[in-house]
Amino acid sequence: MSDFADRLIRWHRHHGRHDLPWQNTTDPYRIWLSEIMLQQTQVDTVIPYYARFLARFPDLATLAAAPVDEVMALWSGLGYYARARNLHACARTVMTEHGGQFPARAEAIAALPGIGRSTAAAIATFAFGQRAAILDGNVKRVLCRAFGVDGFPGSVAVERRLWALADALLPATDVPVYIQAQMDLGATVCTRGKPRCPDCPMQPICVAHATGRTTELPEARPRKRPPVRTTHMAVITDGMHLLLVQRPPKGIWGGLLSLPEFDRDTPPDAWWRAVAADVPAQVTPLDGLRHTFTHYVLDIAPVRFTVDTLDAIPAIEAARVCALDAVDELGLPAPVRRILASA
DNA sequence: AAGGCGGGGAC
DNA sequence: GTCCCAGCCTT
């Protein structure tokens, strides 16, 4: 076994994480669910979502039989909503094409919706004892530092090199412990900001530590200034109900319910005349808010339209009327939840 | 090969 | 404020 893997596995016995909610099981459903939730999402954020999700969907068959709207509602606030749609699609695929049983080989797992090479390897290893390398953010950071890998790890060339490293370092046995140890080291010792090198089992063989480059590696993503976009959001209510729209499956907040939007340059009363000319409404601007995404900034100007009845507002596509006291149970984007909480 | 896709934690 | 997280998918 490589010195790298050996050090990692020995470190994990006393310093790894052993009691996360998705550990100490080989149930592929629970492991799969955790891996999807953990994509680009930190452990502490996932834990309450994971518990709620399992309580509502305790097994694959239950999830596959549920309407996708319920899945979206339980995912609301977790972000990257394509994960929820793919999760539901994957459950149905496993039911119909694999007889309700997850395939065991990493290559077959990676063919399922929402599951790429790294997630497939994690499932194959933890649930089925297969031997496959992972390459998530933690592993990339550990490998870049330990082996002094230059370049942005998201670039194709660096990623190819890191996959080769990950494959070459994979031990012959104890693969589940090894993989968990890699993630635990990256999450608790070899962290992005302030790595705890004195506590690190890799320190004697770490290139970044030896060359004083710990804070330089891995190299940061090349910067670009995210654009600012603007929108109006309409809170159309009769005091008891609220008008929401279903967003298209692709794009931002895909598949979620949200508030109707209109152009920031259109005055609210002009927009209202266009969509509901005959319906009298009291128009009230609400406090604006700024929502920051990874790739752009959205300035939202919410406006409340108070009406007597929501029965006929024909010009709004995909509209749905919901009870105000039930909006917490719907799949709504995080900023929409904030607007409604103060509206 | 590059960009789209959320929300929140850490600093 | 910035950066990035148990990445995947589309173009």
Side-chain angles (χ1 to χ4, degrees), chain A residues 21-22 29-30 33-34 37 43 45-58 74 78:
Chain A
W22 41 86
Y29 173 70
R30 290 176 175 245
L33 176 62
S34 75
M37 285 190 167
V43 166
T45 302
V46 164
I47 286 174
Y49 283 87
Y50 184 75
R52 283 195 294 270
F53 204 95
L54 269 186
R56 171 61 184 86
F57 305 115
L74 278 175
L78 199 51

Side-chain angles (χ1 to χ4, degrees), chain A residues 212-267:
Chain A
R213 302 183 66 204
T214 308
T215 59
E216 297 173 17
L217 297 176
E219 285 184 20
R221 170 184 296 277
R223 322 185 140 227
K224 52 182 187 339
R225 195 61 61 194
V228 178
R229 303 179 187 178
T230 59
T231 187
H232 279 297
M233 283 192 179
V235 180
I236 305 171
T237 178
D238 62 4
M240 294 291 290
H241 307 86
L242 177 69
L243 192 149
L244 297 171
V245 294
Q246 176 108 46
R247 298 185 62 88
K250 307 278 187 183
I252 200 77
W253 299 323
L256 267 69
L257 290 169
S258 187
L259 294 171
E261 294 184 36
F262 59 98
D263 194 277
R264 189 63 174 271
D265 296 329
T266 304

Side-chain angles (χ1 to χ4, degrees), chain A residues 88-217:
Chain A
H88 189 246
C90 182
R92 296 197 162 174
T93 300
V94 172
M95 291 303 291
T96 58
E97 295 185 15
H98 298 278
Q101 303 295 318
F102 252 87
R105 287 173 39 253
E107 190 174 297
I109 298 173
L112 293 166
I115 303 178
R117 179 174 173 183
S118 188
T119 298
I123 297 170
T125 299
F126 290 136
F128 300 108
Q130 303 281 303
R131 182 171 176 274
I134 65 167
L135 189 65
D136 62 15
N138 287 315
V139 178
K140 284 179 179 175
R141 188 168 53 253
V142 170
L143 293 180
C144 281
R145 285 176 176 161
F147 295 91
V149 177
D150 292 296
F152 170 55
S155 72
V156 174
V158 176
E159 190 157 327
R160 187 170 54 236
R161 184 175 165 198
L162 291 174
W163 269 116
L165 257 179
D167 280 337
L169 292 166
L170 198 63
T173 62
D174 297 315
V175 175
V177 176
Y178 169 77
I179 285 179
Q180 186 63 47
Q182 279 188 308
M183 295 191 286
D184 289 353
L185 188 75
T188 66
V189 174
C190 194
T191 54
R192 180 173 65 89
K194 295 174 135 183
R196 297 163 44 208
C197 298
D199 299 328
C200 182
M202 297 309 182
Q203 199 214 73
I205 62 171
C206 179
V207 171
H209 186 263
T211 57
R213 302 183 66 204
T214 308
T215 59
E216 297 173 17
L217 297 176

